[in-house]
Amino acid sequence: MSMGHQESSSRVPNIVIIDDDITSVLVLEAAVQELGKVTYTTNPAEALNLIETLQPDVVLMDIEMGDYNGVELCKQLKNNPQTAKAAVIFVTAHDNPDLEYFSLDSGGIDFITKPINRKICKLRVANQLALRKYSEELESAKEALFSEKEHFKATLNSIGDGVIATDAKGIVTFLNPIAQHMVGMTEAEAVG
């Protein structure tokens, strides 16, 4: 196994390369080493455990690796809750459209053909990392918004005055317990 360069940010992305050909591994590693921490294996039998342990953001995986099939390996990753979030980018020398279809249908998110164009490979991995970061930030913002909404609702429910909230069209969206008592309706009856 080899470690690549690390990016200076709050969380360094993990990239795993799985290919039984060391030459391909080295080309892929050179293409993406500036994007995060790179770990590789040339032994596909180690892939599942490696991915489960490292929880990588992106996995670059060859489709044909001796007795191992990358498409089947991807299906196993996607069926395991601990590894399902890893973004799998397939790498292959084949240009068969059916193979590309089955690769993407198995849960892969992109496809890189050999010989590997380093700039294109780096850009595709960088794009996936950016999408993942955006998705994580969006999820964090949704959690914060939900928490703030619950805090706000608890505050409105605990004050002694009746509070009725409406949207811009005047449709009721919220009643606190005092307002429910005053109007003689439950919130479920009044909302809408």
Side-chain angles (χ1 to χ4, degrees):
M1 289 188 198
S2 169
M3 301 297 194
H5 299 288
Q6 293 190 2
E7 180 179 276
S8 60
S9 70
S10 58
R11 187 182 76 77
V12 177
N14 279 319
I15 302 166
V16 170
I17 301 171
I18 304 162
D19 197 319
D20 60 344
D21 176 16
I22 190 65
T23 303
S24 292
V25 167
L26 296 175
V27 170
L28 289 166
E29 182 182 33
V32 300
Q33 65 186 353
E34 295 173 14
L35 301 175
K37 178 182 169 189
V38 179
T39 306
Y40 69 80
T41 182
T42 56
N43 182 354
E46 295 178 356
L48 288 173
N49 287 336
L50 183 64
I51 293 168
E52 199 169 292
T53 301
L54 295 177
Q55 297 290 305
D57 299 284
V58 174
V59 176
L60 293 165
M61 181 167 32
D62 192 11
I63 291 179
E64 293 182 6
M65 299 177 281
D67 294 335
Y68 289 87
N69 179 305
V71 174
E72 291 304 316
L73 190 56
C74 182
K75 286 179 185 176
Q76 291 176 28
L77 292 173
K78 295 301 173 181
N79 287 329
N80 180 345
Q82 291 183 300
T83 58
K85 288 187 177 183
V88 177
I89 299 175
F90 285 108
V91 182
T92 187
H94 293 285
D95 59 359
N96 180 341
D98 289 336
L99 183 61
E100 185 172 351
Y101 172 83
F102 289 119
S103 301
L104 297 175
D105 189 51
S106 73
I109 49 91
D110 209 344
F111 197 83
I112 297 173
T113 55
K114 294 177 184 178
I116 297 161
N117 178 316
R118 288 184 187 187
K119 289 194 302 189
I120 297 295
C121 178
K122 180 180 180 181
L123 186 58
R124 288 183 183 212
V125 172
N127 286 343
Q128 289 306 320
L129 291 172
L131 284 171
R132 186 172 183 109
K133 182 178 180 188
Y134 174 75
S135 177
E136 288 171 356
E137 289 171 353
L138 184 60
E139 191 61 36
S140 178
K142 284 168 61 177
E143 289 171 8
L145 185 59
F146 177 78
S147 177
E148 187 175 316
K149 179 182 172 187
E150 290 301 305
H151 177 71
F152 179 68
K153 192 171 182 177
T155 302
L156 288 177
N157 283 335
S158 66
I159 62 175
D161 295 324
V163 177
I164 299 174
T166 64
D167 64 13
K169 295 179 182 176
I171 295 174
V172 175
T173 58
F174 172 81
L175 278 85
N176 75 347
I178 300 293
Q180 291 174 46
H181 179 71
M182 290 172 67
V183 299
M185 297 175 82
T186 66
E187 183 177 20
E189 293 169 328
V191 168

